[in-house]
């Protein structure tokens, strides 16, 4: 019987039954009744010209003379049904091929086939590959990762990312690009120098300039760290399947006017994302040269969260990263900053917010303390092997007033 129905209506009846039996529609009897009624009208071709008063009478048992001007219940339930359908396809229905929606302005259900993620990735990833190549990251990196499946989506992931998914504003991923000194075909960077005035006066830079024949030195922002490149890719891999288009920018190429029009995801420390230092918000933690500084220690908290490097000098053995969320500029939209003093620590910050195994416990912890505030800072500690985070834990949390 199901096979015959599927052949006749293209699987629409089966999809409706799947919606009615889903967790999303659990304990929503009124909305299920409305969904069943609207689906019957759509599948029998009787939805054209469907009026609010008819729905009230036939679906909800309203009296024949009820007045829609004084009773808006049909419109209210239609709005709730629209939201529930959108919620279902963002969460447990993320892989469903057939999408049911209720567009605003009328009561006709619409059915459409989802474009498969593989097709979407094939269309979008080449832009990211080109951008990563221009930023100096290894081109093989996104090519290798492009076929991985999107991260598993959970209710906790939905709750954490909901402000970015539903703000209606474009999302801009801003990747930190550290300052290099460029002369001819050579590049030089001193990690302690992050503005051109300091670079141009540095004895070390002048020594390099002299060794290369006193060539002219100019600033360059042509490269980013591997952790920042992987982080930008992981954010795209997480958010693109949820229907959000992203733009990728380097911090040094952005104007403040551009920053006011988008939700912002900063990837990288203040030394390569200097605009994060000028945001009009007071912070409790900050990224220092090689550690996270606690500006307002609470009882039992250290003043600094120190890093531990490997004995052979090959990178971090243990380090800390800072996750900061603010309301957007002019209190419109959202800002999320994912940063560590090293590129592997920045990658750990991105891992924490894109992996359900970390987001889940954090959201449940916040439920026990009143919910996720609109502004907060979270310090995490990570252990590394070969510059890859292998374990991450939460070590400090401050709500920002």
């Amino acid at each position: 019987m199901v096979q015959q129905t599927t052949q006749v209506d293209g699987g629409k009846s089966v999809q409706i039954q799947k919606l009615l039996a889903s967790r999303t529609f659990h304990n929503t009897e009124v909305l299920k009744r409305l969904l069943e009624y609207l689906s019957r009208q759509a599948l029998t071709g009787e939805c054209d010209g469907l009026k609010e008063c008819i729905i009230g009478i036939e679906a909800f048992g309203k009296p024949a003379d009820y007045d829609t001007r004084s009773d808006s219940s049909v419109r209210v339930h239609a709005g709730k049904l629209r939201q529930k359908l959108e919620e279902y396809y963002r969460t447990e229905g993320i892989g469903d091929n057939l999408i049911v929606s209720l567009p605003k302005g009328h009561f006709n259900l619409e059915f459409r086939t989802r474009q498969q993620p593989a097709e979407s990735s094939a269309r979008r990833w080449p832009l990211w590959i080109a951008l990563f190549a221009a930023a100096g990251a290894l081109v093989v990196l996104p090519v290798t990762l492009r076929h991985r499946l999107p991260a598993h989506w959970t209710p906790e992931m939905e709750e954490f990312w909901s402000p970015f998914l539903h703000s209606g504003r474009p999302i801009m991923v801003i990747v930190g690009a550290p300052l290099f000194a460029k002369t001819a075909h050579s590049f030089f960077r001193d990690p302690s120098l992050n503005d051109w005035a300091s670079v141009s006066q540095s004895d070390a830079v002048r020594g390099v300039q002299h060794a290369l024949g006193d060539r002219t030195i100019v600033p360059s922002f042509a490269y980013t760290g591997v952790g920042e490149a992987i982080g930008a890719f992981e954010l795209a891999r997480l958010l693109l399947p949820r229907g959000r288009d992203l733009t990728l920018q380097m911090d040094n190429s952005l104007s403040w006017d551009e920053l006011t029009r988008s939700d912002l995801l900063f990837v990288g420390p203040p030394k390569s994302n200097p605009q994060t230092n000028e945001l009009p918000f007071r912070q409790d933690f900050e990224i220092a040269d090689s550690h996270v500084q606690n500006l307002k220690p609470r009882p039992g908290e250290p003043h600094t969260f120190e890093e531990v490097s490997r004995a052979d000098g090959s990178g971090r053995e243990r380090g800390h990263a800072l996750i900061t969320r603010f309301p957007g500029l002019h209190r419109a939209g959202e800002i999320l900053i994912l940063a560590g003093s090293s590129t592997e620590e920045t990658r750990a910050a991105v891992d924490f917010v894109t992996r359900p195994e970390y987001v889940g416990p954090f959201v449940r912890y916040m439920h026990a303390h009143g919910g996720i505030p609109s502004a907060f800072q979270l310090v995490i500690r990570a252990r590394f092997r070969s510059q890859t985070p292998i374990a991450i834990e939460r070590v400090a949390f401050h709500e920002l007033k």
Side-chain angles (χ1 to χ4, degrees):
M1 183 67 179
V2 171
Q3 183 177 6
Q4 290 178 340
T5 302
T6 302
Q7 291 173 348
V8 171
D9 65 18
K12 296 177 182 177
S13 298
V14 173
Q15 185 65 29
I16 292 295
Q17 294 305 313
K18 188 174 181 180
L19 285 163
L20 294 170
S22 68
R23 294 191 306 273
T24 303
F25 280 86
H26 183 62
N27 289 334
T28 61
E29 299 307 318
V30 174
L31 298 186
K32 288 197 285 188
R33 188 190 316 165
L34 179 58
L35 177 58
E36 287 181 299
Y37 175 80
L38 294 180
S39 66
R40 285 198 303 270
Q41 306 306 307
L43 295 176
T44 58
E46 299 176 4
C47 60
D48 290 341
L50 194 58
K51 301 296 185 182
E52 180 181 349
C53 60
I54 300 299
I55 297 173
I57 294 169
E58 296 185 353
F60 297 119
K62 303 281 186 183
D65 60 348
Y66 103 98
D67 188 352
T68 58
R69 291 173 296 181
S70 59
D71 184 344
S72 62
S73 58
V74 172
R75 296 192 300 276
V76 171
H77 291 314
K80 291 180 178 179
L81 175 60
R82 185 178 299 112
Q83 293 173 353
K84 278 295 181 182
L85 288 170
E86 293 172 352
E87 177 185 341
Y88 171 82
Y89 286 106
R90 289 194 307 268
T91 54
E92 57 186 301
I94 189 69
D96 288 9
N97 187 50
L98 188 62
I99 295 179
V100 183
S101 62
L102 181 60
K104 294 181 179 180
H106 57 75
F107 299 100
N108 301 350
L109 287 182
E110 289 188 359
F111 299 82
R112 61 183 175 85
T113 301
R114 184 197 298 272
Q115 186 169 14
Q116 294 302 311
E119 296 173 2
S120 176
S121 297
R123 185 178 70 253
R124 287 173 170 161
W125 289 139
L127 171 62
W128 289 81
I129 293 171
L131 289 171
F132 282 165
L138 295 176
V139 179
V140 69
L141 178 66
V143 174
T144 302
L145 293 177
R146 64 182 292 190
H147 298 296
R148 290 174 60 185
L149 294 175
H152 180 55
W153 198 248
T154 64
E156 290 84 5
M157 294 284 285
E158 173 72 22
E159 181 174 350
F160 183 88
W161 284 102
S162 180
F164 285 90
L165 295 176
H166 309 308
S167 75
R169 291 157 56 92
I171 296 179
M172 184 180 293
V173 180
I174 303 167
V175 179
L179 172 62
F180 280 79
K182 179 180 183 298
T183 177
H185 301 294
S186 300
F187 292 85
F188 174 79
R189 171 161 173 76
D190 182 336
S192 67
L193 305 177
N194 296 295
D195 64 88
W196 188 244
S198 300
V199 170
S200 60
Q201 299 299 317
S202 167
D203 290 338
V205 174
R206 288 175 177 173
V208 172
Q209 184 181 20
H210 181 70
L212 294 174
D214 291 322
R215 296 177 180 269
T216 300
I217 292 181
V218 296
S220 174
F221 298 91
Y223 295 92
T224 191
V226 172
E228 283 76 6
I230 293 176
F233 180 85
E234 290 297 334
L235 289 167
R237 193 170 70 91
L238 181 82
L239 296 174
L240 284 175
R242 271 91 209 170
R244 295 309 316 266
D245 287 325
L246 314 178
T247 58
L248 178 67
Q249 297 283 353
M250 295 297 176
D251 182 277
N252 63 292
S253 67
L254 287 170
S255 69
W256 281 98
D257 183 60
E258 290 175 297
L259 295 177
T260 65
R261 297 195 294 264
S262 301
D263 289 340
L264 308 174
L265 295 171
F266 286 95
V267 183
K271 63 185 178 183
S272 54
N273 272 327
Q275 286 171 322
T276 59
N277 282 325
E278 301 179 55
L279 293 172
F281 305 105
R282 188 171 298 173
Q283 303 182 38
D284 286 7
F285 301 95
E286 66 178 13
I287 300 290
D289 289 339
S290 60
H291 59 271
V292 175
Q293 185 75 32
N294 191 346
L295 303 177
K296 296 182 179 180
R298 296 178 180 176
E301 291 181 347
H303 285 75
T304 59
F305 295 89
E306 298 289 351
E307 323 304 327
V308 177
S309 297
R310 301 189 66 81
D312 59 6
S314 60
R316 294 277 194 264
E317 180 174 330
R318 187 177 71 246
H320 297 85
L322 186 57
I323 298 167
T324 303
R325 193 171 94 182
F326 297 123
L329 297 173
H330 306 299
R331 302 197 70 81
E334 300 289 332
I335 298 174
L336 185 66
I337 305 171
L338 307 169
S341 62
S342 68
T343 190
E344 57 262 51
E345 289 164 347
T346 293
R347 180 180 176 183
V350 175
D351 278 0
F352 190 93
V353 300
T354 58
R355 293 178 177 270
E357 57 265 38
Y358 299 122
V359 172
F362 173 68
V363 171
R364 291 191 290 272
Y365 167 80
M366 294 311 307
H367 284 172
H369 294 79
I372 303 176
S374 60
F376 67 81
Q377 288 190 291
L378 171 67
V379 182
I380 61 171
R381 179 165 54 229
R383 289 191 291 121
F384 302 95
R385 291 294 182 271
S386 301
Q387 297 185 310
T388 301
I390 61 171
I392 307 173
E393 60 181 330
R394 169 180 51 83
V395 293
F397 175 87
H398 285 192
E399 179 179 356
L400 301 177
K401 300 299 183 180

